[in-house]
């Protein structure tokens, strides 16, 4: 395309020539004429005619040349305007010169094509909704066409601007990247360039664009032209961002999710290697399931949101909170040491503890936290997480609502637990678990009132293991179910064998674990089992601890206790006095008997406090109309004191140790069995 300077170059020499002819030739002719006239003083001399003729020819030539110059100037001007993009211009047909005619025709032809191409551009951009641009190296300007108003808010069909117009509208956060890649393309040998970036609309907002272009180079590979188009991809970007948000964030709390947690943990591990120690905190809301179950899922969601907000607040900019799923949260803390990590955990527990309105209740959110230090407690993300989990588990085992820093011993303890679980499962399947039975006797007459089933693990070598060695198995839902299944299988069989011999005790008591009591159909299971076995519910007793009734699962367990009691099953409160029993609360539950814990009985002879507690429990039993049973009676003195205090039933080594079912059959069948009673001592 012709540039302005090129047009000037054509124009000037012609003008000079015209001036030369128009001024120079007549002037020269006049000089000659004057000289000749003064010297010869002759009129109508033929030479004068020649001179005048020459002057006339000179002037005519000058005029003619000026005419050409004018036409060329016009042509140049048109070309100039054409170069500026006014493609609708046409050169007037001239009859003067073949060359000019041809030039005009060629120009008009080009103009038509350009117009064609531009209307194609316009059509394409209208069809695609894009903005089309063309950059020219010579002028470093860009011609913009297409959907300028829709995309940029520029109310023009087409305009030209220098390239800074574009540069300064690219989002500051994208500018460096885009410009870097652009100059790399310019300086390289590739033709294609493509980039996604935000571009400022006239209204000040930014929209996402996909910009791509093709670069034309000269023979030396220098860029000459660059043509491309910009597509508005804001909607697509939004959809992508939404997908990204969904894939990386938890919808409920808006916190980044487990996936992000893992990748950031990897980064933290890397950074820690580069001497920037950090910490990982795993946080588990205590008894979240209860809130969900008793107050409903909406309440559960509220609690999760409350906890997430409080965690975020208390961590501030020291770290990031993630929701790992369910009621589990993770926190990654950078640049931390042991002391700070524990302090932080403590402050978090404190922040969580403020009462919060959840559903229509006030609840006190509590959590357990497991902490590992990076890199001290793990070489990689997996190891760190496992160890944080161990610390969390240890916190739960120690009674929750606390923060526990990982200790390598936890691993050994866990390994032991896992091995134990496998062993218990195997032993149950092999029938190595069965209950032994301990009689509950009348303190006054020594008559057997009932028996309590106490689980035993009989090893192959005949050794007996008491529940102390396998109590943790009751925390595992699967094993709790397996063990209770085995227990029922045995007690049904044993009860029938005593019954057949006509010596069955008036009732049989079993202990149930919290895990079992929490099974949704625990009560129905028990009642069905009794019905199928033909054992009247009135001859069956369930022993529960007060923490089961008053603790965090109280609502659900209480429900089942009521069902069982309504069906006629006796309910006994075990280990009474060791928990935080609120006596008024106890009235909410249908309890038939209270078992005074062994710890009071053991010290009853020497310790006045124990005496006072025992007396109080007996008094309570009397007032509420509940049977009171003393556990762990080992000496006649204890028995005497209890009897004197008004206790009517007891259980303990003094009367009988727990024994296998066949031994109990013998015990119950023996009319001469020796049972300690104060009377027999006296007699
Ligand atoms: P518990 O229900 O308080 O049972 C009484 C415990 O005291 C039994 O321990 C019993 O052997 C022991 N004992 C009875 N008389 C005396 C005595 O005079 N002196 C002493 N020092 N101890 C006496 P065991 O059998 O080791 O059971 C321990 C605990 O294991 C039980 O305490 C009960 O909570 C739990 N348990 C036992 N069997 C089962 C079961 O089948 N299911 C569940 N969930 N828990 C069980
Ligand atoms: Ca018991
Ligand atoms: Ca007990």
């Amino acid at each position: 395309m012709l540039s302005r300077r090129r047009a000037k170059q054509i124009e000037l020499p012609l003008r000079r020539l015209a001036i030369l002819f128009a001024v120079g030739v007549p002037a020269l002719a006049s000089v000659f004429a004057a000289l000749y006239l003064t010297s010869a003083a002759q009129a109508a001399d033929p030479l004068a005619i020649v001179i005048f003729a020459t002057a006339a020819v000179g002037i005519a030539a000058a005029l003619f040349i000026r005419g050409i110059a004018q036409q060329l100037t016009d042509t140049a001007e048109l070309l100039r305007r054409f170069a500026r993009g006014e493609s609708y211009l046409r050169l007037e047909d001239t009859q003067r010169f073949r060359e000019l005619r041809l030039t005009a025709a060629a120009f008009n032809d080009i103009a038509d094509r350009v117009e064609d191409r531009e209307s194609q551009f316009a059509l394409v951009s209208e069809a695609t909704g894009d903005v089309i641009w063309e950059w020219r190296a010579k002028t470093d300007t860009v011609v913009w066409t297409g959907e300028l108003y829709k995309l940029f808010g520029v109310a023009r069909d087409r305009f030209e601007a220098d390239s800074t117009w574009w540069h300064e509208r690219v989002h500051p956060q994208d500018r460096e990247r885009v410009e870097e890649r652009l100059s790399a393309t310019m300086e390289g040998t590739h033709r294609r360039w493509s980039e996604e970036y935000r571009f400022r609309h006239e209204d000040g907002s930014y929209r996402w664009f996909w910009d791509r272009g093709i670069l034309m180079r000269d023979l030396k590979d220098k860029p000459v032209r660059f043509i491309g188009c910009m597509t508005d991809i804001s909607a697509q970007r939004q959809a992508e961002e939404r997908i990204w948000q969904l894939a990386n964030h938890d919808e409920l709390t808006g916190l980044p999710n487990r996936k992000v947690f893992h990748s950031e943990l990897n980064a933290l591990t890397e950074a820690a290697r580069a001497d920037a120690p950090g910490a990982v905190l795993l946080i588990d809301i205590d008894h979240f399931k209860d809130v969900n179950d008793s107050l409903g899922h909406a309440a559960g969601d509220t609690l999760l949101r409350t906890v997430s907000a409080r965690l975020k607040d208390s961590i501030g900019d020291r770290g990031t909170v993630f929701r790992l799923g369910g009621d589990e949260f993770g926190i990654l803390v950078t640049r931390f040491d042991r002391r700070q990590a524990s302090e932080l955990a403590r402050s978090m527990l404190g922040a969580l503890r403020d009462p919060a309105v959840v559903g229509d209740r006030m609840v006190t959110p509590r959590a357990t936290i497991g902490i590992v230090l990076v890199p001290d407690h793990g070489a990689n993300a997996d190891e760190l997480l496992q160890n944080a989990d161990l610390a969390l588990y240890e916190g739960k085992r120690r009674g929750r609502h606390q923060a526990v820093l990982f200790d390598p011993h936890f691993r050994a303890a866990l390994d032991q637990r896992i091995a134990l679980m496998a062993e218990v499962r195997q032993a149950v399947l092999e029938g190595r678990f069965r209950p032994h039975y301990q009689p509950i006797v009348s303190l006054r007459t020594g008559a057997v009132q009932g028996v309590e089933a106490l689980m035993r693990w009989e090893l192959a070598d005949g050794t007996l293991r008491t529940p102390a060695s396998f109590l943790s198995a009751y925390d595992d839902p699967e094993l709790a179910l397996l063990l209770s299944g085995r227990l029922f299988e045995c007690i049904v069989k044993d009860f029938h064998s005593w019954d057949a011999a006509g010596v069955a005790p008036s009732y049989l008591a079993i202990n149930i674990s919290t895990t079992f009591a929490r099974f949704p159909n625990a009560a129905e299971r028990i009642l069905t089992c009794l019905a199928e076995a033909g054992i009247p519910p009135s001859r069956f007793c369930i022993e529960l601890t007060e923490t089961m009734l008053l603790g965090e699962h109280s609502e659900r367990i209480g429900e089942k206790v009521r069902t069982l009691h309504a069906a006629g099953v006796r309910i006994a409160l075990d280990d009474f006095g060791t928990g935080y029993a609120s006596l008024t609360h106890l009235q909410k539950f249908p309890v038939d008997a209270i078992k005074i814990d062994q710890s009071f009985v053991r010290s009853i002879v020497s310790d006045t406090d124990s005496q006072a507690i025992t007396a109080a429990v007996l008094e309570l039993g009397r007032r509420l109309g509940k049977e009171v049973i003393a556990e762990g009676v080992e000496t006649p003195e204890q028995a005497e004191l209890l009897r004197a205090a008004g206790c009517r039933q007891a259980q303990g080594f003094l009367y009988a140790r727990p024994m296998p079912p066949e031994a109990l059959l013998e015990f119950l069948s023996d009319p001469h069995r020796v049972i300690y009673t104060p009377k027999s001592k006296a007699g």
Side-chain angles (χ1 to χ4, degrees):
M1 215 160 285
L2 276 174
S3 74
R4 180 183 287 259
R5 219 180 324 136
R6 184 99 192 87
K8 279 239 159 68
Q9 276 168 4
I10 300 171
E11 171 184 4
L12 282 176
L14 278 171
R15 271 194 193 276
R16 278 195 208 119
L17 200 65
I19 293 166
L20 193 75
F21 273 96
V23 179
V25 175
L28 216 64
S30 311
V31 170
F32 277 121
L35 283 175
Y36 179 75
L37 287 178
T38 42
S39 63
Q42 281 175 25
D45 190 282
L47 198 60
I49 294 165
V50 170
I51 288 165
F52 277 112
T54 311
V57 167
I59 289 165
L63 286 173
F64 179 67
I65 290 170
R66 228 187 115 241
I68 301 173
Q70 187 54 53
Q71 214 151 58
L72 281 175
T73 306
D74 288 352
T75 309
E77 173 58 24
L78 274 176
L79 286 174
R80 223 181 282 146
R81 289 164 63 181
F82 185 71
R84 280 206 302 268
E86 295 169 42
S87 61
Y88 50 86
L89 298 168
R90 295 288 178 280
L91 267 181
E92 266 174 47
D93 281 346
T94 168
Q95 298 302 319
R96 292 275 170 83
F97 284 103
R98 208 173 101 83
E99 286 76 6
L100 273 177
R101 220 169 34 239
L102 287 177
T103 306
F107 172 86
N108 290 342
D109 204 27
I110 291 170
D112 285 347
R113 280 175 193 229
V114 167
E115 212 174 67
D116 267 6
R117 204 183 69 163
E118 282 190 348
S119 64
Q120 271 173 9
F121 265 8
L123 277 174
V124 168
S125 74
E126 200 185 316
T128 57
D130 290 347
V131 157
I132 294 176
W133 52 263
E134 180 175 350
W135 169 83
R136 285 142 193 190
K138 245 186 201 141
T139 49
D140 190 22
T141 54
V142 182
V143 177
W144 296 92
T145 52
E147 298 287 344
L148 293 168
Y149 183 70
K150 219 166 87 191
L151 268 54
F152 296 170
V154 173
R156 272 195 282 178
D157 288 343
R158 161 199 179 88
F159 72 99
E160 185 168 349
D162 60 18
S163 55
T164 49
W165 186 88
W166 171 77
H167 280 276
E168 64 191 19
R169 277 168 176 74
V170 176
H171 194 288
Q173 282 171 12
D174 300 334
R175 201 174 291 153
E176 198 183 314
R177 164 179 60 93
V178 171
E179 287 181 357
E180 231 168 58
R181 298 263 310 260
L182 186 61
S183 22
T185 307
M186 293 284 210
E187 284 152 24
T189 50
H190 288 294
R191 293 183 66 213
R192 289 178 189 280
W193 168 83
S194 155
E195 205 66 55
E196 287 182 16
Y197 56 85
R198 283 159 288 180
F199 194 71
R200 199 176 66 231
H201 190 270
E202 288 294 292
D203 67 12
S205 69
Y206 280 93
R207 299 180 181 193
W208 273 99
F209 283 93
W210 175 33
D211 195 357
R212 64 269 190 221
I214 286 198
L215 192 56
M216 272 146 257
R217 300 175 187 276
D218 63 11
L219 291 173
K220 288 176 193 151
D221 267 345
K222 260 185 60 188
V224 230
R225 282 171 72 202
F226 199 6
I227 302 180
C229 67
M230 288 171 71
T231 309
D232 186 344
I233 53 164
S234 303
Q236 180 186 329
R237 270 279 172 161
Q238 258 168 23
E240 279 168 10
E241 263 161 35
R242 175 95 187 108
I243 292 167
W244 184 85
Q245 176 78 15
L246 283 176
N248 294 284
H249 288 80
D250 163 48
E251 277 243 78
L252 180 70
T253 58
L255 293 177
N257 65 13
R258 182 177 278 274
K259 199 177 118 203
V260 188
F261 175 76
H262 276 282
S263 66
E264 304 239 321
L265 178 59
N266 279 323
L268 184 72
T269 321
E270 289 295 315
R273 242 178 250 138
D275 213 29
V280 182
L281 282 72
L282 285 190
I283 297 154
D284 197 284
I285 304 178
D286 296 341
H287 314 303
F288 174 72
K289 208 175 164 303
D290 291 343
V291 173
N292 240 0
D293 290 347
S294 58
L295 302 183
H297 282 272
D301 287 354
T302 310
L303 180 61
L304 285 171
R305 272 194 292 259
T306 307
V307 167
S308 95
R310 290 184 181 181
L311 289 177
K312 257 171 85 173
D313 271 359
S314 65
I315 188 81
D317 55 6
R318 290 176 290 183
T320 317
V321 185
F322 303 82
R323 177 161 177 226
L324 305 182
D327 59 341
E328 206 184 340
F329 293 84
I331 295 183
L332 296 179
V333 188
T334 40
R335 288 181 295 280
F336 244 62
D337 66 23
R338 182 174 296 254
R339 191 178 45 81
Q340 287 171 303
S342 320
E343 252 173 42
L344 182 73
R346 254 197 307 279
S347 78
M348 271 179 182
L349 290 176
L352 285 182
R353 217 174 18 218
D354 285 341
V357 180
V358 167
D360 52 1
R361 299 255 193 106
M362 284 294 265
V363 303
T364 306
R366 286 171 189 270
T368 308
I369 305 183
I371 310 168
V372 286
L373 300 178
V374 192
D376 300 18
H377 293 151
N380 54 48
D382 281 348
E383 210 176 299
L384 286 165
L385 271 188
Q386 273 175 18
N387 291 341
D389 249 335
L390 282 175
L392 180 64
Y393 185 89
E394 184 62 21
K396 290 184 188 173
R397 215 181 57 81
R398 291 182 191 171
R400 300 173 191 264
H401 187 47
Q402 53 192 292
V404 174
L405 186 66
F406 173 73
D407 184 300
H409 289 118
F410 297 168
R411 180 159 291 284
L414 179 76
D415 288 348
Q416 273 173 15
R417 264 195 304 277
I418 291 171
L420 176 73
M421 296 296 139
E423 262 185 276
V424 168
R425 185 176 295 113
Q426 186 60 26
V428 175
L429 297 176
E430 287 172 2
R432 300 207 162 278
F433 274 89
R434 62 168 184 160
H436 283 200
Y437 298 91
Q438 186 178 35
I440 296 163
V441 304
S442 157
L443 259 175
R444 198 166 52 79
T445 64
V448 176
Q449 308 287 303
V451 291
E452 179 181 3
L454 295 158
M455 199 50 125
R456 293 293 179 267
W457 180 356
E458 301 175 342
L459 298 184
D461 62 3
T463 336
L464 273 189
R465 280 198 182 172
T466 60
S469 67
F470 57 85
L471 266 182
S472 57
Y474 286 104
D475 296 337
D476 180 277
E478 191 203 330
L479 287 182
L481 213 56
L482 210 59
L483 283 164
S484 67
R486 173 66 183 162
L487 180 71
F488 274 94
E489 191 185 310
C490 295
I491 57 175
V492 166
K493 190 168 66 72
D494 297 339
F495 192 85
H496 283 308
S497 72
W498 304 322
D499 207 27
V503 294
S506 57
Y507 72 89
L508 188 154
I510 65 156
N511 298 279
I512 61 165
S513 63
T514 311
T515 315
F516 181 78
R518 288 182 65 189
F519 281 121
N521 53 355
E524 289 73 19
R525 259 170 201 269
I526 293 172
L527 293 175
T528 314
C529 179
L530 293 177
E532 282 172 3
I535 301 175
S538 59
R539 297 186 70 182
F540 196 70
C541 174
I542 299 279
E543 296 193 2
L544 309 147
T545 59
E546 50 189 318
T547 40
M548 282 166 81
L549 283 184
L550 303 174
E552 61 286 336
H553 316 294
S554 59
E555 286 297 321
R556 296 174 65 206
I557 297 179
E559 204 50 52
K560 289 165 195 156
V561 169
R562 285 185 199 104
T563 308
L564 287 169
H565 190 261
V569 173
R570 281 168 64 93
I571 308 294
L573 209 49
D574 211 349
D575 304 344
F576 192 77
T578 53
Y580 306 95
S582 133
L583 303 179
T584 45
H585 265 84
L586 282 181
Q587 295 183 60
K588 288 203 312 193
F589 303 102
V591 172
D592 300 291
I594 299 170
K595 296 183 85 171
I596 303 179
D597 192 64
Q598 322 192 348
S599 55
F600 304 115
V601 176
R602 195 177 303 133
S603 53
I604 196 168
V605 180
S606 54
D607 182 29
T608 47
D609 278 355
S610 293
Q611 286 166 12
I613 290 167
T614 309
V617 174
L618 285 163
E619 173 59 21
L620 177 80
R622 247 193 311 278
R623 274 219 220 130
L624 299 178
K626 314 220 182 275
E627 194 66 64
V628 177
I629 304 165
E631 283 192 308
V633 180
E634 291 182 352
T635 67
E637 290 78 16
Q638 292 166 347
E640 191 46 46
L641 264 170
L642 286 161
R643 201 189 59 81
C647 185
R648 295 195 298 189
Q649 291 190 31
Q651 185 183 356
F653 294 169
L654 177 65
Y655 307 103
R657 286 182 178 257
M659 58 189 98
E662 28 329 321
L664 187 79
L665 179 66
E666 246 175 68
F667 179 88
L668 294 173
S669 316
D670 181 3
H672 308 295
R673 65 172 186 267
V674 183
I675 273 274
Y676 173 85
T677 62
K679 234 198 303 177
S680 69
K681 184 194 166 200

